[in-house]
Each structure stands twice: as structure tokens, then as C-alpha cells.
Amino acid sequence: MIRRRRLRATDNLRALVRETSVSVSDLIYPVFVIEGKDIKNPINSMPGIYQYSIDRLDEELDRIREAGVKAILLFGIPEHKDEVGSEAYNEHGIIQEAIRYIKKVFPELVVIADICLCEYTSHGHCGVIDHGVILNDETLPLLAKTAVTCAQAGADMVAPSNMMDGHVAAIREALDEAGYEMTPIMAYSAKMASGFYGPFRDAAHSAPGFGDRKTYQMDFHNAREAMRDIFDDIEEGADIIIVKPGFSLLDILKTASVETDMPLCSYNVSGEYSMVKAAAANGWIDEKKIVMELMTAFKRAGAQMIITYHALDVARWIREED
Ligand code: PBG
């Protein structure tokens, strides 16, 4: 008789043989900063998540400090959008000013700047367009400029999420030229065109005005292609690899952890968060249990870090367990 239950007998025995754990230092919390004054806008589809203007940001930073979360992923929402997303690479744009402010008042917080044009373009696509076509090579210099202005503002890391070909190389080259060779790139390498980003587009005002993102984000039917995208980004100079969305790409995350030696990050995206919050609000699930199980699944599949809107709650729950 093989008695697996021997090691399942008590809490302390189970803790002893546990293979995976989630720590507060694994967590990255997304923050939305909006241009304007005295703004704290709730996102209806994401209970507990708000857009803050810089003058109200202290409230959010205090919550982050109190939770002990050490890293944030920053998204900017500009007042003015145009065809070419100029506010993304304005030295004094919303994200650049937010980075400056946060690094001034909370210098030890790791600030990661999301690098994309979709929040900044009038058409909501992640690149510049010509007659309905999203242009690749013409978009690259704009992304590079966005990354450099964020690094100049004090960003600790940049996270290109736009899925243009060659974006990691273009950003690496521009950062190096500008003297930011020590600024790491966290690349959204396997990012699928997904229905799970719906609520984010309310939060970031970034829904595409026409069509969808399928000509640049990956087709979610393909696992081997995802590995090609990951290897391309490694070759182009990525320091950390993001796999996204979290739940539906656990297989890709696992493969990446077996086939590469890169630090891996799972992005537990907006739609995943909203589903959990909706079910919990209805009393259908136990929020803490479900969220901790999911966080553990990301770690078990191979992630060293997790971008999650649940980060502040998870940090509190981990502390309560100790
Ligand atoms: C910007 C970007 C998106 C997300 C992260 N960066 C939206 C998109 O690709 O449409 C989605 C994050 C989430 O759903 O939580 N391109």
C-alpha cells in the first residue's frame, strides 16, 4: 500500500512538504493614473480599482506601502489623444509626471512603466495606422521614445505590451543610446488577443475604435508560436518574460519555465479579476480561497512574479497567515 495520506495528516506536516509558496515580494500591482485634478474614478467593471489623478495618488501609495507591496505597473490615461499617440512620449506626459512624483515620494517602490500607444491614440490601437492598417516599423520609434522618456522620468523598468515585431530590440537600442543600459525590459512576449482584457479597456480608456487587435496580438490557439515569440524577445534583449492572460495561458507559462531560464511573470488580467470579484460579491465563491489558489497556480506553473489587481488583498492575506 502506498500511503500518500501520511504526509497530509496535519497542517504542519503539509506545510513541511509544500513545494510552492506565494510571497508579498512576488506581487506587482497595476496602477492607473489619469490626467486632471482631484480625480478618483471607480472602474465599474473592476470593483476596488480606481483611476487617480496625481494629486490624489498618495491615497493609493499609502495603501501599497501599508500592504508591503514592492512593485507597481503604471498605466497613464491622457486628457488629449491623437492619431499618433503623442502624449505617450511627451516628456511631461501623464505617465512621465506620475513616475517623477512616485519616485520622489516613494523612491524604493519599483515603478514599471507599461509601454504602449493604445491609451494615447484616438483610434485606440497600439500602433500608428494608415487606411485601417496598424503599421509596425513606423510605430517602433514612438515606442522607443516612450520608453526613453519613462526611463528619464525615473522608471525602474519598462514593459512593452504593444506586440509590434521588433519592439524589444528597438527599445533596448534606444535605452542604451540614451544611457539607460541598466534599465531592464519586462516584455509581454506571449500576449494573446483575448476577451479577458475587456474591463481593462474601461480602466485605461483604450478600446480599439475599429476592428480588433488580432493582427498584432497572438492567436490564442497557438502554443508553439507562443514559444517562438518568447525566444524572439529573449534574443532581442528582454530581461523578464510576461505570459498573458494568466489562467488561460498556464500551459505556455509551464512550457516557458521548462524551455527557458528567464525570469517569468504571469499577468492575472482584468477579466480574470472581474470574474472572481463578481462571483465573490454574489456569495458564490470564497474570494480569499479562490485568489490564493490561483496565485499558487501561477507560481507552480513557473512564474517568479505575478501582476495582479488582487495584489493588496493577497499581501494582507499572506501577512494574516504568518
Ligand atoms: C496595453 C495593455 C492591455 C493590457 C495590458 N496592457 C490591453 C490590451 O492589450 O488591449 C491588458 C491588461 C488587463 O486586461 O488587465 N496594450
Side-chain angles (χ1 to χ4, degrees):
M1 177 72 99
I2 295 172
R3 295 199 186 275
R4 295 274 178 240
R5 294 185 54 193
R6 281 184 201 122
L7 296 177
R8 293 174 196 158
T10 67
D11 267 347
N12 286 345
L13 265 176
R14 289 191 293 273
L16 207 56
V17 295
R18 194 153 289 155
E19 299 170 26
T20 311
S21 64
V22 183
S23 336
V24 177
S25 53
D26 303 334
L27 304 169
I28 300 171
Y29 182 59
V31 172
F32 298 96
V33 183
I34 189 165
E35 209 167 330
K37 289 227 165 9
D38 196 26
I39 301 172
K40 179 186 177 185
N41 279 339
I43 314 304
N44 287 338
S45 53
M46 301 179 71
I49 304 295
Y50 300 83
Q51 300 163 333
Y52 290 92
S53 52
I54 294 178
D55 58 351
R56 295 283 299 270
L57 205 50
D58 280 347
E59 177 183 333
E60 185 76 323
L61 295 174
D62 285 344
R63 295 172 65 218
I64 294 166
R65 204 180 270 113
E66 196 184 321
V69 166
K70 295 168 177 46
I72 62 170
L73 176 61
L74 197 62
F75 295 95
I77 306 148
E79 217 158 66
H80 167 74
K81 302 189 188 227
D82 60 25
E83 282 274 304
V84 292
S86 338
E87 283 301 303
Y89 37 91
N90 174 353
E91 275 176 53
H92 297 289
I94 179 63
I95 190 162
Q96 291 80 0
E97 290 302 323
I99 295 166
R100 270 186 203 100
Y101 180 74
I102 297 167
K103 292 308 289 185
K104 191 175 72 186
V105 298
F106 196 167
E108 68 277 23
L109 185 68
V110 176
V111 177
I112 308 167
D114 190 86
I115 306 297
C116 195
L117 298 187
C118 64
E119 301 100 310
Y120 302 91
T121 51
S122 42
H123 44 78
H125 277 289
C126 304
V128 290
I129 55 172
D130 183 29
H131 295 92
V133 177
I134 291 89
L135 303 175
N136 194 89
D137 300 13
E138 291 77 355
T139 300
L140 296 179
L142 308 183
L143 296 168
K145 238 157 85 179
T146 305
V148 170
T149 54
C150 287
Q152 282 164 343
D156 296 286
M157 187 144 49
V158 293
S161 64
N162 55 87
M163 292 299 281
M164 295 299 125
D165 286 327
H167 64 157
V168 174
I171 289 172
R172 184 70 276 156
E173 195 185 337
L175 286 173
D176 290 355
E177 254 170 41
Y180 296 97
E181 59 282 316
M182 290 303 284
T183 302
I185 299 176
M186 183 186 216
Y188 291 69
S189 302
K191 173 170 175 178
M192 308 264 185
S194 166
F196 282 105
Y197 309 151
F200 174 91
R201 293 174 188 170
D202 295 338
H205 300 169
S206 66
F210 65 89
D212 52 40
R213 304 211 200 286
K214 288 182 185 162
T215 68
Y216 42 107
Q217 298 182 350
M218 278 194 54
D219 182 347
F220 63 73
H221 300 79
N222 301 345
R224 294 165 64 242
E225 183 189 355
M227 290 313 298
R228 285 212 299 276
D229 267 35
I230 289 173
F231 283 116
D232 288 349
D233 282 2
I234 297 172
E235 180 109 0
E236 288 183 30
D239 299 280
I240 297 173
I241 301 296
I242 303 179
V243 175
K244 171 183 176 197
F247 301 175
S248 49
L249 266 67
L250 278 173
D251 58 333
I252 311 294
L253 184 59
K254 181 68 193 180
T255 309
S257 85
V258 173
E259 293 188 9
T260 81
D261 52 9
M262 297 295 289
L264 299 173
C265 175
S266 179
Y267 195 145
N268 174 214
V269 299
S270 58
E272 301 174 334
Y273 172 84
S274 302
M275 290 194 310
V276 169
K277 293 302 260 190
N282 275 293
W284 296 336
I285 58 167
D286 178 326
E287 182 173 350
K288 175 179 168 183
K289 270 192 190 158
I290 295 280
V291 171
M292 290 312 291
E293 190 172 327
L294 290 167
M295 296 301 131
T296 306
F298 300 135
K299 293 290 304 282
R300 197 184 60 227
Q304 280 76 48
M305 63 205 100
I306 306 163
I307 300 168
T308 180
Y309 303 94
H310 297 289
L312 304 188
D313 290 331
V314 171
R316 184 164 43 82
W317 292 328
I318 292 172
R319 272 213 319 272
E320 283 167 7
E321 295 288 305
D322 282 345

